[in-house]
Amino acid sequence: MKDIDAIAALQDPVRRRLYEYVAAQGREVGRNEAAEAVGVTRTLAAHHLDKLADAGLLESGSRRLSGRSGPGAGRPAKVYTRTRDERTVSLPARDYRTAAELLAEAAEHAGLDAGLCAAARRRGEALRGSAEPCAGLEEAMETLAARGYEPHLEGTEGTTGAAAPVVRMRNCPFHAVAERFPPLVCGMNLALLEGLLGTDGPVRARMDARPGECCVVVEPSKNNQD
């Protein structure tokens, strides 16, 4: 019932908007910022943010938002981030996670990495259907967002000395299984996205793991960078 109660906490429209805003930032968010972002008072935002923390959907902490320390730096402010815990609801109960972990364990022990990646690439191509490979990073981000990856753009293009643009993803849809079988599941994820986005178009997917985010990034293909 704990997961049901947590998800039920999002039924309130203000609370849901606050949760979506905090989740989308990928960093700590203070009460003032959250209130301004969704157009409510700070007091109301604080109430709903604390309710989300009580439900286990957000984690709360405190820090000085000014970045200063010592006398005159002000009191620490309460801040919130999205929890890494997963919430699922199935009525009646289903245990697909255990099934996925057992299948991953069997595949890893049997050395079926190549076969799994081939199947994942075919699935990605099937999801893309008859569409052409993604025409650019903006289209790729739309595709990734629809699959629950929560993409965000890093870097800028066309500025001397600036980092090349790359799409990173704050959410891995396979996070729970990937934690136990990272080489197997991350390789599968890369192959799935190669099939979904295309391998011979303006963008490409490649492995670039970073703590707390998806192990795959998307960037302009080498031909498109020249």
Side-chain angles (χ1 to χ4, degrees):
M1 294 295 292
K2 183 178 179 181
D3 284 354
I4 295 177
D5 291 341
I7 293 173
L10 296 173
Q11 184 175 1
D12 183 281
V14 173
R15 196 172 298 170
R16 185 169 62 251
R17 294 203 308 273
L18 285 165
Y19 173 78
E20 290 171 347
Y21 178 78
V22 173
Q25 304 315 302
R27 56 173 172 79
E28 293 177 329
V29 175
R31 289 170 167 175
N32 287 340
E33 178 187 347
E36 184 176 349
V38 303
V40 298
T41 65
R42 183 185 184 281
T43 301
L44 183 59
H47 168 76
H48 285 302
L49 289 167
D50 285 340
K51 289 293 185 181
L52 290 167
D54 291 342
L57 294 170
L58 297 180
E59 294 179 356
S60 62
S62 62
R63 67 177 177 87
R64 289 186 172 90
L65 298 179
S66 65
R68 297 179 297 164
S69 59
R75 297 177 59 186
K78 200 164 187 179
V79 293
Y80 303 83
T81 56
R82 183 178 59 177
T83 181
R84 299 298 298 174
D85 294 340
E86 295 184 7
R87 303 291 179 184
T88 58
V89 173
S90 179
L91 298 173
R94 299 286 189 267
D95 192 4
Y96 300 114
R97 175 173 173 173
T98 297
E101 290 178 347
L102 289 172
L103 290 169
E105 183 176 356
E108 189 172 76
H109 282 224
L112 300 178
D113 304 56
L116 176 61
C117 287
R121 192 171 287 105
R122 289 194 299 270
R123 174 59 63 90
E125 292 170 348
L127 291 171
R128 177 158 54 95
S130 59
E132 294 293 322
C134 285
L137 292 182
E138 183 175 345
E139 183 178 335
M141 290 180 69
E142 292 177 358
T143 300
L144 293 166
R147 303 298 304 176
Y149 283 91
E150 298 185 2
H152 62 103
L153 187 65
E154 286 190 359
T156 55
E157 191 173 18
T159 303
T160 302
V166 60
V167 175
R168 294 189 178 273
M169 294 162 268
R170 294 192 176 99
N171 182 53
C172 171
F174 316 110
H175 173 72
V177 187
E179 280 196 318
R180 289 197 57 190
F181 308 96
L184 181 77
V185 178
C186 290
M188 176 199 76
N189 187 30
L190 174 61
L192 176 70
L193 292 181
E194 286 176 340
L196 182 64
L197 303 176
T199 57
D200 55 356
V203 303
R204 66 165 186 164
R206 66 173 175 85
M207 198 76 74
D208 187 13
R210 192 162 78 175
E213 294 190 337
C214 178
C215 58
V216 178
V217 299
V218 178
E219 64 185 7
S221 63
K222 289 185 176 180
N223 291 337
N224 202 47
Q225 291 177 352
D226 296 338

